[in-house]
Amino acid sequence: MNREKLIWCFLCSLMVFSTKNVFAQKISTTDKPNIVIIYLDDLGYGDIGCYGAKGVQTPNVDALAKNGLRFTDAHCTAATCTPSRFSLLTGMYAFRNNAAILPGDAPLLIKPHSQTLPRLLKSAGYTTAVVGKWHLGLGIGSIDWNKKVSPGPLEVGFDYSFIIPATTDRVPCVYVENHNVYNLDANDPIAVSYKGKIGDEPTGLERPDLLKMKADSQHSSTIINGISRIGFMKGGLKARWRDEDMAITFTEKAQHFIQASKGQPFFLYFSLANIHVPRTPHERFVGKSNMGRRGDMIAELDWATGAIMKTLKEEGLDKNTIVIFSSDNGPVLDDGYDDEAERLVGAHQPAGPYRGGKYSAFEGGTRVPLIVHWPARVKAGLSKALFSQIDVAASLAKLAGVPLPGDVLPDSENALPVLLGQSKVGRTVMLEESFTFSLRKGDWKYIAPQEKPTPDWLKNKKIEIGLSTQIQLYRLSVDKTESKNLAESCPEMVKELQEELQRIRQANGTRKNFKIE
Ligand code: NG6
Ligand code: CA
């Protein structure tokens, strides 16, 4: 080796050594775990293999459970999407903000610049992203989709966002990346209306012959990609999503975020639109289940979960990443489109052994799969602890080492020991929001009599929403299916739970140390 080569080799090894050192230093200052929440849409308790699914296989999610902690009594905060997502990110019960299912042009529901889960994690040095379904409103009313769409995720604490504004069955059928509609051609502006028809494109009612799936009248407005939607839109042809590609698109965006963010701790809220209607699996997943489109959408989300885990592994991040897998509300078969979900369900029980599903005050409304995967810190096993997603925010803040000021996350308690499997003692009292309120205390379940009439659009469905003018009281340890109403025979328990519910509803917040200055 000549002298020049020798010097060059020496310099190279010096460089490798010093980068290693920088890297080592970085790890020691940023040993906070990355956080990934894989959040599904309308996935029921019984829809995953390890929770008893029949008719579809979910090897990737099952592997998470095999190496992680699987909960059997975990709940989203509400039986519909917007309220559950609101509570997940704000640690506040949705009723305090009148949060209900939002149309696609609704203003942002979360106060900009408030202390949300992503903002708290940001303050601890996390890079934060939401990829997937948003459904928490955008803008401040009458959005111009051709201009900067704001406030939105970036104003509530996310550094990066790639979202669909509302649901897959609502217009506008476009992605929004940070502040702008993705792929929008300035010469083909978008307009959206929830009041009446705009543009010349046919609606589902006018041209049923153009549809991939028949739909009910609420889902029969503008046809986009052969599917009629709730609401009307025109323009933005290049920007429109193809439903069949959505899970793959979201997965790729999430993978890029992970790859770009390694080196500092990150928080990814990966909010797939599977398995909400219209159910449109990519061609690759068609026929992967025995249950038609609904089952194929489950197979697809299983693939997406596996793809995210693979990326974490490839990037060397799997050891230091906590992955939380769950859903925003219980399952539904017929939610407006004729996709044969009811006919093809067979022996599969979407809500497992529980009664009701999406929209329901019964357990099927909010009891959902919850798997926590972090082999470095969480022992594989089963947890029967009562857990509510309302506690995710305070628990993850604790994990990131963020001290909570008194006036943030009003209803979210630190349940980190439960989430990590170190404690089996779950919540003593837990609220479930639906078109009424349910309250769990131990194995007792109280369902408050309905205060408002049943929404018309739910009346003709086979959905058990659990609404009644009567007080309902069930004892889940002996009556899983909430069939035997004990309200009359146990008036004291009714009173105790009524008082507890009253206390929660009247307070500004229920977190032990919560106080508004
Ligand atoms: C309902 C829609 C339903 C679904 C739901 C929201 C009708 C008749 N039904 O209003 O199809 O979009 O809203 O689902 O319009 S969620 O999972 O986002 O809460
Ligand atoms: Ca949902």
Side-chain angles (χ1 to χ4, degrees), residues 42 81 133 135 167 169-170 219 276 329 335 358-359:
D42 299 2
C81 168
K133 175 176 177 174
H135 210 187
T167 56
D169 56 355
R170 284 176 173 76
H219 293 84
H276 198 281
N329 52 250
D335 211 8
K358 182 174 182 177
Y359 310 114

Side-chain angles (χ1 to χ4, degrees), residues 11-322:
L11 284 177
C12 281
S13 53
L14 211 67
M15 261 166 64
V16 169
F17 180 73
S18 55
T19 17
K20 258 194 180 160
N21 249 0
V22 170
F23 190 57
Q25 260 176 14
K26 213 160 187 185
I27 285 188
S28 66
T29 51
T30 62
D31 56 357
K32 293 179 176 165
N34 308 304
I35 301 169
V36 176
I37 298 183
I38 304 179
Y39 207 52
L40 281 307
D41 197 1
D42 299 2
L43 186 76
Y45 186 87
D47 278 330
I48 293 294
C50 57
Y51 282 90
K54 304 208 170 62
V56 60
Q57 290 182 349
T58 56
N60 291 300
V61 183
D62 295 351
L64 280 189
K66 188 163 172 263
N67 303 311
L69 187 62
R70 183 168 76 83
F71 286 75
T72 57
D73 201 359
H75 296 250
C76 44
T77 53
T80 52
C81 168
T82 302
S84 279
R85 286 159 196 263
F86 175 82
S87 294
L88 181 76
L89 296 184
T90 64
M92 182 197 272
Y93 289 130
F95 75 87
R96 299 200 198 288
N97 198 21
N98 292 319
I101 301 170
L102 294 180
D105 59 352
L108 179 63
L109 195 62
I110 302 175
K111 243 199 231 146
H113 312 297
S114 56
Q115 290 294 351
T116 58
L117 170 61
R119 191 176 299 286
L120 290 165
L121 293 178
K122 235 165 107 93
S123 73
Y126 278 70
T127 305
T128 56
V130 50
V131 175
K133 175 176 177 174
W134 180 240
H135 210 187
L136 291 168
L138 292 167
I140 52 170
S142 64
I143 308 171
D144 183 342
W145 298 94
N146 308 292
K147 298 199 174 132
K148 181 177 173 185
V149 178
S150 165
L154 301 197
E155 285 67 36
V156 304
F158 287 105
D159 293 308
Y160 173 72
S161 70
F162 185 89
I163 56 167
I164 62 165
T167 56
T168 39
D169 56 355
R170 284 176 173 76
V171 298
C173 299
V174 294
Y175 300 111
V176 178
E177 186 172 43
N178 296 325
H179 285 138
N180 296 99
V181 170
Y182 187 65
N183 275 343
L184 182 63
D185 174 357
N187 297 318
D188 182 21
I190 291 183
V192 168
S193 165
Y194 275 81
K195 292 198 185 90
K197 183 171 173 178
I198 49 172
D200 305 325
E201 285 168 277
T203 64
L205 284 180
E206 291 161 355
R207 293 293 308 272
D209 56 304
L210 297 178
L211 298 178
K212 292 179 186 170
M213 277 176 272
K214 276 198 240 141
D216 66 17
S217 58
Q218 286 95 337
H219 293 84
S220 286
S221 299
T222 307
I223 301 174
I224 312 280
N225 184 32
I227 298 162
S228 51
R229 315 279 168 162
I230 306 176
F232 304 88
M233 76 175 279
K234 66 173 185 174
L237 283 189
K238 247 183 74 194
R240 294 180 185 185
W241 68 54
R242 194 181 83 100
D243 303 71
E244 293 80 354
D245 296 331
M246 190 174 284
I248 296 174
T249 304
F250 284 151
T251 303
E252 286 172 359
K253 291 287 174 187
Q255 288 170 320
H256 286 155
F257 171 75
I258 292 171
Q259 282 153 350
S261 309
K262 64 173 180 183
Q264 78 258 18
F266 62 81
F267 167 51
L268 169 64
Y269 170 40
F270 182 48
S271 160
L272 283 168
N274 300 51
I275 52 173
H276 198 281
V277 295
R279 301 187 182 109
T280 49
H282 186 271
E283 290 73 4
R284 259 160 60 188
F285 299 99
V286 171
K288 288 281 179 218
S289 78
N290 298 328
M291 297 191 291
R293 289 169 175 272
R294 187 171 183 279
D296 295 350
M297 288 294 275
I298 297 176
E300 187 178 76
L301 77 84
D302 183 70
W303 164 82
T305 303
I308 296 296
M309 297 310 289
K310 188 161 172 267
T311 301
L312 289 172
K313 193 153 195 202
E314 280 166 4
E315 299 299 332
L317 300 167
D318 51 327
K319 300 252 151 39
N320 202 32
T321 301
I322 176 170

Side-chain angles (χ1 to χ4, degrees), residues 343-507:
R343 189 175 73 79
L344 298 173
V345 72
H348 178 87
Q349 291 182 290
Y354 299 103
R355 188 172 179 185
K358 182 174 182 177
Y359 310 114
S360 178
F362 294 128
E363 285 294 280
T366 62
R367 199 188 282 230
V368 287
L370 174 70
I371 300 166
V372 178
H373 181 270
W374 188 14
R377 290 278 304 276
V378 176
K379 273 205 221 119
L382 205 67
S383 176
K384 294 183 179 163
L386 182 60
F387 183 84
S388 167
Q389 288 175 10
I390 195 72
D391 295 333
V392 165
S395 305
L396 293 182
K398 177 75 184 174
L399 181 65
V402 188
L404 287 189
D407 58 350
V408 310
L409 311 182
D411 297 298
S412 187
E413 294 286 358
N414 167 25
L416 191 60
V418 179
L419 209 53
L420 300 185
Q422 294 153 353
S423 166
K424 295 203 160 85
V425 186
R427 275 197 160 247
T428 41
V429 170
M430 189 192 72
L431 186 74
E432 299 172 11
E433 297 196 55
S434 57
F435 290 103
T436 181
F437 292 102
S438 309
L439 196 78
R440 285 275 308 272
K441 188 168 191 179
D443 64 338
W444 290 95
K445 163 111 173 240
Y446 167 79
I447 303 179
Q450 70 185 103
E451 292 171 9
K452 292 180 194 152
T454 309
D456 280 342
W457 56 271
L458 268 173
K459 279 185 187 153
N460 307 325
K461 304 238 185 233
K462 287 191 202 147
I463 298 171
E464 283 207 281
I465 45 177
L467 284 177
S468 165
T469 50
Q470 306 293 309
I471 292 169
Q472 298 177 75
L473 181 75
Y474 301 103
R475 189 151 201 203
L476 296 175
S477 58
V478 290
D479 179 23
K480 240 186 206 169
T481 53
E482 296 165 270
S483 316
K484 196 166 184 302
N485 189 355
L486 301 173
E488 266 180 35
S489 52
C490 304
E492 291 193 348
M493 186 51 69
V494 167
K495 189 161 171 276
E496 188 181 323
L497 292 179
Q498 274 175 335
E499 283 170 5
E500 197 74 62
L501 177 59
Q502 187 78 341
R503 188 185 61 79
I504 296 171
R505 290 181 71 178
Q506 281 171 354

